[in-house]
Amino acid sequence: IEAAEGEERSAPRGLLAPVPAGQGRLLEGVIHAAYFIPSLQQYFSSAIAPEYRTRRQAKMLFRNYGRCRMLLKNAKPPSQICIATDHECFYVSLAAEFHMYLAVPRGISTGVIGQFYQWVKAQEAHIFLLHMPCW
């Protein structure tokens, strides 16, 4: 979900499905996002936003995901939680089919949650090994 300065946010042709118009703008605000499929034991993780790439900031991101998971420990799945700090919001959704983790700047539209989910669903065939080859 990240591109170098001056580059358009798109992968080489054929690697990813096209992103619907307007969807990329909201996803640009994402600090970090991850999606895990328990049945496949596979995950997708975005790059961490440049301003959060210090060891201290990256650790803070993952500790807050852990905090969210801890708060959901006794919740009946599917369950979700959103917690906010002074500067970020952390969203975690745990279901049998998938786990989703999202960190965004505080104040960003909650629509980014659905947008990220839709992006992952559209890219599933490109970012996960859905049909394991049999030898």
Side-chain angles (χ1 to χ4, degrees):
I1 307 179
E2 180 184 335
E5 191 173 337
E7 288 183 0
E8 190 174 307
R9 287 181 173 258
S10 62
R13 291 187 192 275
L15 291 181
L16 294 175
V19 176
Q23 189 176 41
R25 285 274 180 240
L26 192 54
L27 291 175
E28 284 177 10
V30 171
I31 296 167
H32 178 260
Y35 190 93
F36 174 67
I37 302 176
S39 63
L40 298 174
Q41 289 295 293
Q42 295 179 37
Y43 71 92
F44 165 82
S45 179
S46 73
I48 297 173
E51 59 273 17
Y52 285 82
R53 288 190 187 154
T54 65
R55 179 178 165 89
R56 185 172 167 260
Q57 290 288 79
K59 200 172 192 178
M60 178 272 302
L61 291 174
F62 292 102
R63 280 193 173 157
N64 276 304
Y65 288 148
R67 199 167 133 211
C68 289
R69 284 189 58 101
M70 187 183 73
L71 292 168
L72 290 174
K73 183 173 56 175
N74 296 320
K76 183 179 175 187
S79 57
Q80 60 185 354
I81 191 168
C82 186
I83 61 170
T85 65
D86 289 342
H87 304 286
E88 302 88 17
C89 286
F90 296 88
Y91 172 81
V92 172
S93 177
L94 303 176
E97 305 81 29
F98 68 89
H99 300 179
M100 187 165 64
Y101 303 85
L102 205 59
V104 297
R106 191 168 178 162
I108 197 170
S109 168
T110 55
V112 73
I113 296 166
Q115 297 249 337
F116 175 67
Y117 176 78
Q118 292 303 321
W119 182 86
V120 169
K121 296 311 274 178
Q123 304 302 332
E124 247 178 6
H126 305 282
I127 58 178
F128 297 111
L129 296 172
L130 299 175
H131 306 286
M132 299 299 276
C134 296
W135 301 65

